Amino acid sequence: MSLKRHARSRRGDSFFLEVVLQSVRLGERVLVAAPSNLAVDNLLDGLVRHGLRVARLGHPARVHGDLREFSLDALVDRHPDTREARKLTKQARALFRKAGKWTRGKPEPGARQADRAEAKQLLAGARALDEQVVASIIRDAQVVAATATGLDA
């Protein structure tokens, strides 16, 4: 669906809110973009009050305080798979530290390289899991909201 609002339009934000709500009721997923963070947040506030599943793209510092829980960063932090990705990252960092330490005893040949290789695999798994989480959140949202400039990132 594509709907463009011009600054001099006679129809206000409530009209656009209603159009989005009707589209969601018809089973469509909607991408909402506005020229400013305030405009996106105003529309997002209305959508949240109607109980829609929303995801707000953009830097959390630019999202209104009451709506930060709907920012992509906050949604990712609360996702259950994020905890697993953090565990993988922590294990990888521990392996990198272990591989970089000097020890009194001579390590087995190839042990450090094996630790580094395993750490790289763990990091790749964590990155893949993070990407799956983001894709899942956006896929499950009925409405994704962002500023027009935030969509190019």
Side-chain angles (χ1 to χ4, degrees), residues 105-116:
K106 187 174 181 180
E108 290 185 35
R112 289 182 180 186
Q113 285 124 347
D115 285 345
R116 286 188 185 106

Side-chain angles (χ1 to χ4, degrees), residues 96-144:
F96 277 126
R97 278 193 304 274
K98 179 183 167 192
K101 284 187 178 179
W102 291 95
T103 60
R104 285 188 181 181
K106 187 174 181 180
E108 290 185 35
R112 289 182 180 186
Q113 285 124 347
D115 285 345
R116 286 188 185 106
E118 184 180 351
K120 287 178 184 179
Q121 287 178 339
L122 288 172
L123 282 178
R127 274 190 230 103
L129 200 53
D130 279 339
E131 289 172 6
Q132 289 173 2
V133 167
V134 170
S136 169
I137 289 169
I138 291 176
R139 183 180 54 250
D140 293 343
Q142 294 170 305
V143 180
V144 176

Side-chain angles (χ1 to χ4, degrees), residues 56-126:
R56 169 67 157 93
L57 305 183
H59 195 284
R62 291 183 175 80
V63 177
H64 189 275
D66 295 340
L67 299 171
R68 282 202 184 110
E69 67 182 283
F70 303 102
S71 71
L72 184 59
D73 287 356
L75 294 170
V76 166
D77 284 345
R78 288 194 312 267
H79 196 280
D81 289 342
T82 300
R83 182 174 293 138
E84 182 62 28
R86 288 185 178 149
K87 284 181 188 175
L88 292 174
T89 302
K90 188 176 180 179
Q91 290 171 358
R93 288 189 175 140
L95 281 171
F96 277 126
R97 278 193 304 274
K98 179 183 167 192
K101 284 187 178 179
W102 291 95
T103 60
R104 285 188 181 181
K106 187 174 181 180
E108 290 185 35
R112 289 182 180 186
Q113 285 124 347
D115 285 345
R116 286 188 185 106
E118 184 180 351
K120 287 178 184 179
Q121 287 178 339
L122 288 172
L123 282 178

